[in-house]
Amino acid sequence: MSKFTKRLPLAAAISALASTTIAGGFDNSGQPFDIILGTGNEITIMTYSTAVELTGKANSTSNVGGNFNSADVKLDDVAFDYMSLQVGARLAITDSISCAFQTDEPYKTHTKIADESLSYFNGTSGLNSKKDEEHTPIETEVTSNAWTVACGYGLQMGKSRLTFFAGPKFQSIHAIFSSDMMNGVAAATAPGGLGTGENDNISYDMGTSYEAGYVAGVGYEIKDIALKIGVFYHSPIDYTIKGTVTGGAGIQALQNRVATDTVKADLTTPASWNLTLQTGIWPKWLVFGNLHLSNWSDLGSLNVTSKTNSSGTGDNDYDVDLGLFSNDTLDYRFGVGHQVTDKLVMAASYASTVKLGDEDLPDGVDSDSLRQPRGDSYTLSLGGRYSLSDNFSLSAGLGYTNLDKTTVDNGSFRVVFDESEAWTYALGLTMAF
């Protein structure tokens, strides 16, 4: 069975399409560092492409924006398609010691609500009716990159092998977001067109920050029965991100703010645990599974402070507390793999997510963040790996994700996102040397 087990693990990984698809992005944080548990020298390259469509309707649930918000506001094309790349390499230094490198994108999101759709602006008082969220969201984009290096030591114990590994993880993160003071109806009440277009918008660019954490874990393998167990831990990574904010002409005139200012925020990407398991159940057949726990509630909000602070009256600074994640997540997936021929391995899997610790949300509400809507979903995946030679193989995978109807309520607006779907395509190659 050793020839079979040499080919199957990557096919299983492709089938699972390891990242968790969410509305407008994916969570690939804390994924298994499987490459460190293999033997021999290897290079792998994987590309992923996901297409998603997200629409919904919003209505005011409190007296924000005066009478400027209609009962239902249609929100179209809220989520963007995205692509990602993962590259890994393993070098066997001795029979017991190996080192591996992997670069990937742990987390990416990009959502946008059309400009002048919603309004927190009270036309009677001329003030923002919800200061803590800095008007209504327009665009939110977060990108990240990680570079992980780890070395492992394997203990051969008869027919089984126990491997311990650890190493540093370097990670960058870049965030931009923008907000809108008033919608088109409210803008008509502002003098001189100060509420139209980008005049009433605020744009934050938090720049790119680099910090380091670590990854550690243990793996156990019995090749004769295709048994592999891996436990992986990714540490939290703390950042102080700094950037600039720009306010439009309307923001400056109507709310007495400076044109530009410097801003900063403390941010922690969460710790995560990952458990992987595969085992043979019949000649040329095996089952596999994965559990992935992420402490996303540690990033419940992003408190951005500006250099120019309010003197205690008015609303002339750019401080903002953005609501992000309201709960931790437990992602799970399980599947089956089959060696079809000497050259072809196929696998299929099912994946979903359990939200943990969201008891503060009202019944029937999935999230309190308009920037990061995350409801229930499941993913069906099919993948395969074809060996062109003993040292070179090609891989491909297809994943279908059903994004369930999602209700977001931040206390001022309730947005119901329609049930939607996403398709993910994966292509890759593996070369042994």
Side-chain angles (χ1 to χ4, degrees):
M1 192 178 289
S2 60
K3 187 175 181 181
F4 166 62
T5 59
K6 179 181 178 181
R7 290 184 183 142
L8 188 59
L10 183 57
I14 297 169
S15 170
L17 292 173
S19 63
T20 300
T21 301
I22 58 179
F26 65 84
D27 174 13
N28 195 37
S29 61
Q31 288 300 321
F33 194 59
D34 289 295
I35 193 169
I36 190 66
L37 299 181
T39 58
N41 303 322
E42 184 177 276
I43 296 176
T44 65
I45 301 174
M46 292 294 303
T47 61
Y48 301 89
S49 176
T50 297
V52 59
E53 181 177 351
L54 188 64
T55 61
K57 286 185 179 180
N59 61 71
S60 174
T61 59
S62 66
N63 187 27
V64 296
N67 297 320
F68 296 133
N69 290 296
S70 61
D72 289 303
V73 178
K74 190 76 168 68
L75 305 178
D76 294 319
D77 300 324
V78 177
F80 286 74
D81 299 342
Y82 52 88
M83 297 183 65
S84 63
L85 173 69
Q86 178 177 301
V87 179
R90 180 182 62 247
L91 179 63
I93 300 174
T94 69
D95 290 341
S96 300
I97 300 174
S98 62
C99 293
F101 165 81
Q102 183 170 287
T103 177
D104 56 20
E105 298 174 82
Y107 185 75
K108 178 183 288 187
T109 184
H110 192 183
T111 59
K112 185 175 183 178
I113 294 176
D115 192 6
E116 301 186 350
S117 295
L118 306 176
S119 176
Y120 286 142
F121 187 75
N122 188 319
T124 302
S125 65
L127 297 177
N128 180 13
S129 300
K130 191 171 177 58
K131 300 176 184 178
D132 60 329
E133 288 198 6
E134 200 65 57
H135 311 308
T136 58
I138 302 176
E139 189 165 13
T140 304
E141 183 175 10
V142 179
T143 57
S144 63
N145 289 279
W147 302 266
T148 305
V149 180
C151 290
Y153 183 80
L155 299 173
Q156 197 67 38
M157 302 178 297
K159 293 184 178 181
S160 64
R161 183 181 178 88
L162 183 65
T163 301
F164 301 91
F165 65 90
K169 178 180 180 179
F170 304 93
Q171 185 172 277
S172 70
I173 191 166
H174 179 217
I176 62 174
F177 57 93
S178 57
S179 303
D180 188 20
M181 182 167 65
M182 60 186 80
N183 60 16
V185 179
T189 68
L194 290 175
T196 59
E198 296 183 357
N199 286 330
D200 65 332
N201 293 352
I202 304 176
S203 299
Y204 295 79
D205 187 337
M206 303 305 297
T208 301
S209 299
Y210 298 84
E211 293 294 344
Y214 66 89
V215 60
V218 60
Y220 181 74
E221 179 181 16
I222 302 177
K223 284 190 175 182
D224 286 351
I225 58 172
L227 174 66
K228 275 192 174 185
I229 302 173
V231 178
F232 307 82
Y233 173 73
H234 291 254
S235 72
I237 299 179
D238 297 324
Y239 296 85
T240 296
I241 57 178
K242 299 179 180 180
T244 58
V245 57
T246 302
I251 295 293
Q252 300 171 50
L254 298 174
Q255 295 192 334
N256 191 29
R257 305 191 194 208
V258 296
T260 62
D261 205 352
T262 58
V263 288
K264 67 177 182 178
D266 293 327
L267 168 69
T268 298
T269 56
S272 64
W273 290 89
N274 212 304
L275 170 66
T276 62
L277 169 67
Q278 73 167 47
T279 183
I281 55 173
W282 198 258
K284 299 184 179 182
W285 288 89
L286 65 69
V287 294
F288 58 90
N290 170 249
L291 293 175
H292 174 213
L293 174 65
S294 294
N295 298 333
W296 282 109
S297 62
D298 292 345
L299 191 55
S301 64
L302 184 66
N303 186 5
V304 181
T305 59
S306 58
K307 182 179 179 180
T308 302
N309 292 315
S310 260
S311 60
T313 60
D315 186 21
N316 61 350
D317 61 39
Y318 286 103
D319 293 358
V320 58
D321 191 11
L322 298 177
L324 294 177
F325 301 98
S326 55
N327 50 262
D328 298 334
T329 57
L330 177 64
D331 304 316
Y332 64 90
R333 55 180 52 85
F334 55 86
V336 59
H338 176 55
Q339 182 177 350
V340 181
T341 70
D342 288 342
K343 295 182 178 295
L344 178 63
V345 174
M346 297 292 293
S349 71
Y350 172 88
S352 189
T353 299
V354 177
K355 294 184 294 182
L356 307 174
D358 57 357
E359 62 274 3
D360 293 335
L361 295 175
D363 291 341
V365 175
D366 300 294
S367 173
D368 58 6
S369 174
L370 293 179
R371 295 183 182 273
Q372 290 291 307
R374 183 166 186 172
D376 296 328
S377 65
Y378 68 84
T379 299
L380 302 174
S381 302
L382 179 67
R385 179 174 179 178
Y386 186 82
S387 297
L388 299 176
S389 68
D390 289 340
N391 298 323
F392 190 81
S393 62
L394 297 176
S395 307
L398 174 64
Y400 166 79
T401 299
N402 177 273
L403 300 167
D404 201 4
K405 183 178 179 181
T406 301
T407 300
V408 179
D409 194 331
N410 68 351
S412 295
F413 288 99
R414 175 171 290 229
V415 179
V416 179
F417 291 101
D418 303 322
E419 181 179 2
S420 58
E421 60 186 27
W423 289 92
T424 299
Y425 312 89
L427 291 174
L429 61 87
T430 302
M431 181 177 65
F433 60 96

